Amino acid sequence: MSNQNPTERAEEEPNTNGNLTFTRRTAMALLGVGATAGVASSGASADHGAKFDPTRRWNQHVDAQNHDLENLHSVDTEHVFTAARAADRIVWQDDDGTYHADGRNGGVASGEEFVPVVQSAIDSLSDGRTHKERVLVAANATVGVDDSSQTIKVPSYTVLDVPGSIHVEYPKWGKSPILIQSVDGAEHFEIPRLTVTGAPYGAVHLPSCSDVKLGDITVLFARDADPGDAIRIDNSGESGDRSTDIQIDSAYIENGTNHSVETYGVDRIQIQQVMAKYQYGCAVLLNDTSDATIDSIIGYNPVDESVGAEPTSEEDLTNASSRYATFRVTYPTNNVSVGQVVSRGAPRGLHIHSGGTGDISIGEVAIKDAETPGAMITDPNNVVINGGVIKNCTGEGIRVHAYDPYPGNARGITLSDLRVYDDQDEPTQAYGIRETGDYVMNNRIVDCDVRDGGVEANIAVTSESTTVADNVGGGIASGTVTLESGSEPAARVEGVSEAQDVTLDLRAKTFDGPDSALAWDHHFAWTGDQWDLVIEWRTDPGEDVTLDYIVDRPQANIGRYPIQDESSGDGPAT
């Protein structure tokens, strides 16, 4: 329980230990009431000479609202992280462990429990304000599992700045309530800094909010707990309104058993960087979200029995496998741009899923050691992955698939400038890049390097409309053929494609060719069931020649293929 107007402490010198404890004099100075200003350095100095000296510049001695800036050396500023007058309320802790909330006009609240004091500081800000007012929490704190209140509610036009660290106690293998939650429908608020340890159910939850900025958020979940999302932004307010216009500078999360950053029902979100270590769920999960821009997503989730992302018992701290990717997009999520996705040892590096999802651009991926396909693309439209490396995954490096319930999806997928390979002693990638399902269409696999991409095939496609061109190490067909001297044709490779309505092209070179002149030409012959590659001599060198070949499918479509069978809704007409 908080007590109003706590007794003024009289100490002149602040405490200088590492727990951010100090005196009311220092606290009031941070609010601009008193003689000093706290800054993020370890000390301060000033000229304590005469009040007036005609030989000095006019601003040699500065009057700060009638408070002469003297005796700055008497205030320890090593553990103070904000400038004077930056806060309207300050929450601090004294030597005895009591928390205090002060304003410029005196004490607001004090008590043994951290959350009620912070809440009193927030609630004491100006009623009906239409400009932001700031609460600075200049104290490390512990939220007890038996505390009467464990959730801080942040209303509109509030800045809650927490430069210290908050530890949330929890029942073993369990969790405590959400630590910070915005008031339903809140707008125009900020959390510039926040570090949380222990196991709240969530560090930050923002329901049906707008115009929000989160700065640098760090959440270090305990390994023997089972928390929820570290940061969740959704439309779960009573109004059901979508959250809009969200900014996150950076988020660093460890040991989460759910997701680091999850959105559901959000429009317009910008994230600079999310890093997740030993994360059971996603580093970033976008559900029903539009207009998202993310600079980088980094997930580190190695299989290591000494650490646990989802401990199921005290004896079992193994990194249990999930079906979640480092970065996952699902439900109707549209207009997403991501600069970089880095994933190490996650179940999947990237998963773009669900009918109605589309218009997604990934600038670069770096995916290694995924336990399932490195990148899984199921049912979205118009997805572009512009480059990067995928290696040593299980199943496929990249898989593009369309499920029966979503006919006509998984279309307009472009994979370009990717290096996909497996260099393990015992490779686990069956395919480098693979299409599956009956409804994929109008995709492009171009300018990739898929050498050693898969033990079954480097590239495998199912749709007649997919473009496969200019990839190193693979096409729709590839191999070695011998051109026989004196034979006409010189060689015939049967069944390079069973799809009739396609455009075919050949890339080929001689392997240890003869010194004498040679020339050859080729064409593709339709047999009624398949296309064969036919090679004919123009200049016979008089000896057999080995030819390495790749058959591409550059596609001469002009936008009218495939034709949708509208009567059945079951994919392209035959």
Side-chain angles (χ1 to χ4, degrees):
M1 185 67 65
S2 300
N3 300 315
Q4 298 299 318
N5 299 319
T7 304
E8 181 92 359
R9 292 177 60 87
E11 293 92 343
E12 292 296 320
E13 296 295 328
N15 184 281
T16 57
N17 63 34
N19 295 320
L20 288 180
T21 60
F22 47 90
T23 67
R24 171 154 286 108
R25 176 176 177 176
T26 306
M28 299 304 287
L30 287 169
L31 293 165
V33 180
T36 83
V39 295
S41 63
S42 60
S45 61
D47 188 326
H48 306 302
K51 297 298 181 183
F52 175 76
D53 186 341
T55 65
R56 296 176 181 263
R57 296 189 303 274
W58 67 272
N59 61 346
Q60 183 68 41
H61 301 286
V62 178
D63 179 34
Q65 296 185 1
N66 297 319
H67 300 288
D68 194 349
L69 297 180
E70 293 186 358
N71 297 321
L72 290 179
H73 61 276
S74 68
V75 177
D76 169 50
T77 61
E78 182 177 359
H79 302 296
V80 178
F81 300 87
T82 187
R85 302 177 180 83
D88 298 278
R89 302 289 185 271
I90 183 169
V91 176
W92 55 284
Q93 186 180 34
D94 65 23
D95 298 353
D96 299 326
T98 301
Y99 298 105
H100 303 274
D102 286 336
R104 293 193 179 97
N105 295 324
V108 172
S110 68
E112 301 301 318
E113 293 185 6
F114 171 74
V115 170
V117 175
V118 174
Q119 194 65 59
S120 295
I122 294 172
D123 295 343
S124 71
L125 297 173
S126 302
D127 291 335
R129 60 189 178 277
T130 56
H131 62 279
K132 293 178 183 176
E133 294 183 356
R134 179 182 296 264
V135 173
L136 171 67
V137 181
N140 293 326
T142 296
V143 178
V145 69
D146 296 324
D147 284 1
S148 59
S149 177
Q150 295 176 298
T151 300
I152 300 169
K153 295 295 185 70
V154 181
S156 299
Y157 296 98
T158 301
V159 178
L160 178 62
D161 190 4
V162 187
S165 177
I166 302 174
H167 179 74
V168 180
E169 295 180 343
Y170 57 95
K172 200 172 185 65
W173 313 112
K175 52 196 170 250
S176 296
I178 294 168
L179 177 60
I180 297 178
Q181 185 172 44
S182 61
V183 172
D184 190 357
E187 60 182 3
H188 297 288
F189 62 90
E190 301 179 28
I191 304 176
R193 294 171 288 187
L194 177 67
T195 298
V196 181
T197 63
Y201 181 72
V204 178
H205 178 213
L206 310 179
S208 299
C209 58
S210 62
D211 297 288
V212 180
K213 182 173 181 180
L214 304 181
D216 298 324
I217 310 297
T218 298
V219 183
L220 308 177
F221 287 119
R223 286 169 48 191
D224 59 350
D226 183 22
D229 295 342
I231 301 172
R232 181 179 175 88
I233 306 159
D234 58 31
N235 59 345
S236 65
E238 291 185 5
S239 66
D241 291 344
R242 299 172 68 85
S243 290
T244 59
D245 301 300
I246 312 296
Q247 297 181 47
I248 302 175
D249 288 344
S250 67
Y252 178 82
I253 317 296
E254 284 190 7
N255 299 324
T257 61
N258 212 48
H259 308 298
S260 290
V261 177
E262 180 175 5
T263 65
Y264 200 118
V266 175
D267 298 323
R268 298 181 301 280
I269 180 169
Q270 296 179 340
I271 303 173
Q272 183 174 344
Q273 183 181 83
V274 175
M275 298 181 66
K277 186 176 181 181
Y278 308 135
Q279 182 75 32
Y280 180 77
C282 302
V284 175
L285 171 56
L286 302 181
N287 294 289
D288 189 15
T289 297
S290 67
D291 299 308
T293 303
I294 305 173
D295 188 9
S296 64
I297 302 169
I298 302 170
Y300 179 69
N301 193 31
V303 177
D304 185 345
E305 294 184 358
S306 67
V307 294
E310 191 190 32
T312 57
S313 68
E314 188 171 1
E315 293 77 23
D316 182 14
L317 288 175
T318 59
N319 183 12
S321 176
S322 76
R323 300 296 295 171
Y324 285 107
T326 295
F327 176 44
R328 178 179 168 94
V329 179
T330 190
Y331 294 102
T333 291
N334 293 276
N335 301 324
V336 176
S337 176
V338 179
Q340 182 185 55
V341 177
V342 178
S343 178
R344 297 288 184 269
R348 293 174 181 167
L350 169 67
H351 190 180
I352 301 174
H353 172 66
S354 185
T357 289
D359 301 327
I360 297 172
S361 174
I362 310 293
E364 184 179 70
V365 296
I367 299 171
K368 180 182 177 183
D369 300 330
E371 299 172 12
T372 57
M376 187 77 180
I377 302 172
T378 53
D379 295 316
N381 297 321
N382 305 318
V383 172
V384 177
I385 302 178
N386 283 315
V389 176
I390 299 177
K391 64 179 290 188
N392 300 349
C393 302
T394 300
E396 301 97 346
I398 304 174
R399 183 180 176 192
V400 179
H401 182 78
Y403 288 105
D404 290 352
Y406 307 108
N409 285 318
R411 67 171 72 182
I413 312 299
T414 295
L415 308 174
S416 66
D417 296 302
L418 287 156
R419 177 70 175 109
V420 184
Y421 70 104
D422 191 335
D423 63 356
Q424 301 171 97
D425 293 337
E426 296 182 4
T428 56
Q429 277 185 190
Y431 298 87
I433 300 174
R434 185 187 184 195
E435 276 187 343
T436 56
D438 296 330
Y439 302 105
V440 293
M441 60 183 68
N442 293 340
N443 299 325
R444 299 173 65 246
I445 305 170
V446 296
D447 296 316
C448 295
D449 185 343
V450 293
R451 289 172 293 179
D452 300 316
V455 295
E456 296 291 333
N458 292 335
I459 296 176
V461 297
T462 58
S463 172
E464 295 187 6
S465 62
T466 295
T467 297
V468 181
D470 301 321
N471 301 287
V472 178
I476 63 165
S478 61
T480 299
V481 64
T482 299
L483 308 186
E484 297 182 359
S485 176
S487 177
E488 191 58 40
R492 187 182 188 103
V493 181
E494 298 182 350
V496 294
S497 177
E498 295 181 356
Q500 180 179 8
D501 191 13
V502 295
T503 305
L504 300 177
D505 197 6
L506 176 68
R507 287 180 287 146
K509 68 178 184 65
T510 59
F511 183 79
D512 293 335
D515 295 331
S516 55
L518 80 157
W520 49 268
D521 205 348
H522 76 280
H523 66 275
F524 295 96
W526 178 251
T527 67
D529 297 312
Q530 63 186 22
W531 287 102
D532 291 349
L533 168 63
V534 180
I535 302 175
E536 300 170 331
W537 288 118
R538 288 293 176 260
T539 301
D540 190 333
E543 59 181 289
D544 294 350
V545 175
T546 299
L547 200 70
D548 291 339
Y549 71 89
I550 294 176
V551 178
D552 282 343
R553 207 161 65 183
Q555 302 298 66
N557 299 337
I558 58 174
R560 53 183 182 145
Y561 180 88
I563 300 172
Q564 187 76 23
D565 184 358
E566 296 180 357
S567 62
S568 66
D570 288 333
T574 57

